[in-house]
Amino acid sequence: MHASDVADDLVEVLFTEEQIQARVAELALEIERDYEDKDLVLVGVLRGAVMIMADLARALNKHVEMDWMAVSSYGSGTKSSGVVRILKDLDADIAGRHVLIVDEIIDTGLTLSWLTSNLGSRGPASVEIATLLRKPEALQMPVKPRYVGWDIPNEFVVGYGLDYRERYRNMRDIGTLAPAVYS
Ligand code: IMP
Ligand code: MG
């Protein structure tokens, strides 16, 4: 689905499919350079990171393992509470390996702050974060992603894995949701 298919639901298109693919390719080049000759495990955070994971992994010209975690943060609607529960854990043993958490957005940072320390306690060689989007104004925890696609204003965005009530995840572009949709 394209942003043009749901134009009435969006205030604006922030990033087109082409812009996203170009930025993901740039991030992949940086990651290739930084992890040359290193054993790399990509950890995707379900379900939002599915698109960025698929595109980033394919843009990398090196062997990587792809693994997944599902976590739920107790909270209501568009706010997260910071209490995190593992719904699906990794299949891989990450001890001694280089881990790159792949996520689509850092909002408050609560989820990734918790996940970084959880994975860090399993004895990995390193744990870093790659995120396509970050909302600096919303950040509540000291999360420092090594790779960031773009910083965006503190607005609710959808598309490319990002949902509102499970919709818009399959939109190819990223756009700001019109308040009329959620009020
Ligand atoms: P956190 O607040 O950084 O812990 O973000 C938790 C999760 O909330 C993200 O991984 C997204 O799944 C979701 N989220 C945060 N901001 C947005 C948004 O603007 N649109 C859609 N989902 C969001
Ligand atoms: Mg997510």
Side-chain angles (χ1 to χ4, degrees):
M1 186 169 87
H2 297 86
S4 55
D5 297 316
V6 287
D8 291 349
D9 295 355
L10 305 174
V11 177
E12 63 174 331
V13 175
L14 284 181
F15 306 107
T16 64
E17 180 178 16
E18 291 73 23
Q19 290 172 314
I20 295 167
Q21 295 305 326
R23 189 70 187 110
V24 169
E26 289 175 356
L27 295 177
L29 276 181
E30 279 185 57
I31 293 167
E32 267 173 37
R33 265 187 237 123
D34 294 346
Y35 290 91
E36 202 182 351
D37 303 326
K38 285 183 178 148
D39 171 32
L40 181 59
V41 185
L42 302 180
V43 173
V45 185
L46 293 169
R47 284 168 278 181
V50 167
M51 309 297 175
I52 173 79
M53 180 74 146
D55 287 338
L56 183 65
R58 283 180 294 180
L60 288 170
N61 288 318
K62 73 180 264 106
H63 291 293
V64 290
E65 181 168 347
M66 296 161 74
D67 205 343
W68 301 91
M69 278 189 81
V71 295
S72 98
S73 55
Y74 296 97
S76 58
T78 54
K79 298 264 184 296
S80 51
S81 66
V83 183
V84 177
R85 185 166 57 113
I86 295 178
L87 302 178
K88 187 230 168 279
D89 207 342
L90 294 179
D91 294 321
D93 180 359
I94 57 170
R97 308 179 68 188
H98 293 278
V99 174
L100 182 60
I101 302 172
V102 177
D103 210 352
E104 79 288 7
I105 194 165
I106 299 178
D107 183 24
T108 63
L110 292 169
T111 313
L112 282 187
S113 154
W114 183 89
L115 196 57
T116 305
S117 66
N118 181 285
L119 297 184
S121 71
R122 306 183 192 193
S126 68
V127 181
E128 300 287 349
I129 297 169
T131 182
L132 186 64
L133 303 177
R134 176 173 62 180
K135 297 180 186 172
E137 295 156 33
L139 201 63
Q140 292 177 21
M141 303 294 281
V143 176
K144 291 197 170 57
R146 186 161 178 187
Y147 310 95
V148 179
W150 293 284
D151 282 327
I152 62 167
N154 194 6
E155 288 167 347
F156 200 77
V157 295
V158 294
Y160 198 67
L162 292 151
D163 74 301
Y164 173 66
R165 296 190 174 169
E166 296 307 325
R167 300 178 83 171
Y168 308 100
R169 277 197 209 277
N170 60 325
M171 189 171 83
R172 293 170 179 269
D173 320 276
I174 294 174
T176 309
L177 195 61
V181 176
Y182 52 84
S183 58

